[in-house]
Amino acid sequence: MKTFIYMVRHGESPKTEGDERTRGLTDKGRSDANLISQLLKSERIDAFISSPYKRAMATIEELAQSVGKEIVVFEELRELVFIGNDQIMADNEVYPLVKQMFAEPDFSLPGGESIRICQNRAVGTLRKILEQYRGQKVVIGTHGAVMTLMMGYFDNQYDLAFLLKTSKPDIYKMEFEDEVLVETTRLWKD
C-alpha cells in the first residue's frame, strides 16, 4: 500500500527573536507559506504533522486550516539540537558545525546532540508515522538537517551536499510502498 510523505522544510525565519523553538517566519517566510498552501492544496492531504518549533508549524498552518485539519505535533521531529538551552546559532557558526557533524556522526557540542542520535529519534518517529498513516498522504512540517537525516536513512543520496542545496522553504514528496522508499520528487520551485 502506498503512503505519501510530503517533507515541507520551513520558510525563512529570523534569527533575531526568541529561541530555536519560538522563532517564527519572516514576511517572505509567511508569503512562501501561502505559496505552499496553493501548491499542495490539490494533493488532497489526509494528515498534518509537525516539529514542535513555531517556524515549522507556521509554514504548514495555512494549508492545514484551508482543508479543515489539525496539526499533530511530534516532539521527536524537532530540529537537530546543535547546542543546549534552545540557543539560536548564527549561520556562520552552524554551517561549519553541520559539516563537522556529518563527518563525525557521534560528535556533539555540550547540551547538543549528535547526527546519529537525531537520526535515530527522527527515523523512529517517521517509521511510526508510516505505520499509523499507512495508505494516506501526510505533510510533515520540518527542518533542513532533520529532514535530510530522515530522507538519507531511506536513500543515501540525501546527505550533506543535498542539505546544503536545499532552500527555505522546500518540499519533497516521498512515495513509500510500506516502509520502502520508491520515489522522491522535489515539488518546490525556487
Side-chain angles (χ1 to χ4, degrees), residues 1-6 46-47 132-138:
M1 180 175 285
K2 291 184 179 181
T3 304
F4 294 91
I5 300 292
Y6 297 77
D46 298 299
Q132 183 176 347
Y133 295 90
R134 189 170 186 225
Q136 297 183 45
K137 294 180 175 183
V138 181

Side-chain angles (χ1 to χ4, degrees), residues 128-160:
K128 289 176 190 172
I129 290 167
L130 287 168
E131 183 180 317
Q132 183 176 347
Y133 295 90
R134 189 170 186 225
Q136 297 183 45
K137 294 180 175 183
V138 181
V139 163
I140 298 179
T142 190
H143 309 271
V146 75
M147 174 183 80
T148 300
L149 294 172
M150 286 188 284
M151 293 171 72
Y153 175 82
F154 293 98
D155 184 340
N156 65 9
Q157 74 172 309
Y158 301 108
D159 57 8
L160 177 62

Side-chain angles (χ1 to χ4, degrees), residues 68-167:
K69 303 279 185 175
E70 296 289 323
I71 298 173
V72 178
V73 175
F74 281 72
E75 177 64 30
E76 298 83 4
L77 294 177
R78 68 189 173 275
E79 177 59 299
L80 172 66
V81 178
F82 296 107
I83 193 166
N85 299 323
D86 294 321
Q87 293 176 61
I88 295 175
M89 291 181 71
D91 287 345
N92 65 347
E93 296 173 312
V94 169
Y95 290 115
L97 175 61
V98 168
K99 289 177 182 176
Q100 181 179 359
M101 293 175 84
F102 270 83
E104 302 173 49
D106 291 312
F107 172 80
S108 66
L109 290 177
E113 66 183 339
S114 69
I115 289 282
R116 190 174 323 279
I117 289 172
C118 179
Q119 186 176 46
N120 287 341
R121 76 163 154 80
V123 169
T125 301
L126 180 55
R127 292 173 107 172
K128 289 176 190 172
I129 290 167
L130 287 168
E131 183 180 317
Q132 183 176 347
Y133 295 90
R134 189 170 186 225
Q136 297 183 45
K137 294 180 175 183
V138 181
V139 163
I140 298 179
T142 190
H143 309 271
V146 75
M147 174 183 80
T148 300
L149 294 172
M150 286 188 284
M151 293 171 72
Y153 175 82
F154 293 98
D155 184 340
N156 65 9
Q157 74 172 309
Y158 301 108
D159 57 8
L160 177 62
F162 163 79
L163 171 60
L164 296 176
K165 290 188 290 185
T166 62
S167 62

Side-chain angles (χ1 to χ4, degrees), residues 165-178:
K165 290 188 290 185
T166 62
S167 62
K168 292 180 188 175
D170 219 334
I171 306 171
Y172 294 88
K173 180 180 180 179
M174 302 172 72
E175 178 184 334
F176 287 89
E177 187 67 49
D178 295 318

Side-chain angles (χ1 to χ4, degrees), residues 20-103:
E20 282 299 319
R21 285 185 178 267
T22 61
R23 64 185 173 98
L25 297 173
T26 63
D27 289 342
K28 181 184 182 316
R30 286 188 288 279
S31 175
D32 286 341
N34 179 265
L35 294 174
I36 288 167
S37 184
Q38 293 171 32
L39 181 67
L40 293 181
K41 203 168 202 172
S42 64
E43 293 287 324
R44 296 191 179 122
I45 304 299
D46 298 299
F48 293 83
I49 295 171
S50 182
S51 152
Y53 290 16
K54 183 177 178 182
R55 61 192 181 275
M57 289 186 284
T59 301
I60 65 170
E61 186 173 45
E62 181 180 332
L63 177 60
Q65 288 176 349
S66 75
V67 296
K69 303 279 185 175
E70 296 289 323
I71 298 173
V72 178
V73 175
F74 281 72
E75 177 64 30
E76 298 83 4
L77 294 177
R78 68 189 173 275
E79 177 59 299
L80 172 66
V81 178
F82 296 107
I83 193 166
N85 299 323
D86 294 321
Q87 293 176 61
I88 295 175
M89 291 181 71
D91 287 345
N92 65 347
E93 296 173 312
V94 169
Y95 290 115
L97 175 61
V98 168
K99 289 177 182 176
Q100 181 179 359
M101 293 175 84
F102 270 83

